[in-house]
Amino acid sequence: MGWETLKRWGADVARVEPLTGGVANDVWSVRVGGRLAVGRLGGRSDADLAWETELLRYLDREGLTVPVPIPTTDGRLFADGLVVMTYVEGGPPETPSSATTAG
């Protein structure tokens, strides 16, 4: 397990720079097929990652703006603890209440 797993997303994939603010995962901006994305490497179980990635896909289909998992070249939504997702522009909550409520 490690960042060498990123090659499962294709030959045109690379880590760009680390992203800050995370607590439990190693998170980097990555390029996949020329597009900016986010890679998150952690120690969560396959069951947890399957639940999370399916939830994100469901929320996307329902019209919510969420990061969407980008499949590996063989169609998997995660591999060896690594999830690669679309990049979603954003920032920290503007007020304490916006961190706990959906707007």
Side-chain angles (χ1 to χ4, degrees):
M1 183 168 113
W3 283 103
E4 64 276 359
T5 302
L6 191 58
K7 66 185 175 204
R8 293 186 181 191
W9 275 263
D12 185 21
V13 64
R15 282 194 296 170
V16 177
E17 65 182 348
L19 298 174
T20 60
V23 175
N25 299 291
D26 190 13
V27 182
W28 282 65
S29 61
V30 298
R31 289 216 176 271
V32 177
R35 296 182 330 190
L36 185 61
V38 174
R40 186 189 74 210
L41 180 63
R44 294 179 53 205
S45 71
D46 284 357
D48 284 350
L49 293 174
W51 179 86
E52 177 188 7
T53 55
E54 288 301 328
L55 175 63
L56 289 170
R57 291 176 70 191
Y58 170 79
L59 294 173
D60 177 60
R61 286 190 306 269
E62 293 297 312
L64 293 165
T65 302
V66 295
V68 179
I70 299 170
T72 62
T73 57
D74 64 358
R76 296 175 62 193
L77 297 179
F78 58 90
D80 297 331
L82 179 61
V83 178
V84 176
M85 298 171 272
T86 56
Y87 178 83
V88 176
E89 190 68 44
E94 294 177 10
T95 66
S97 65
S98 66
T100 58
T101 61

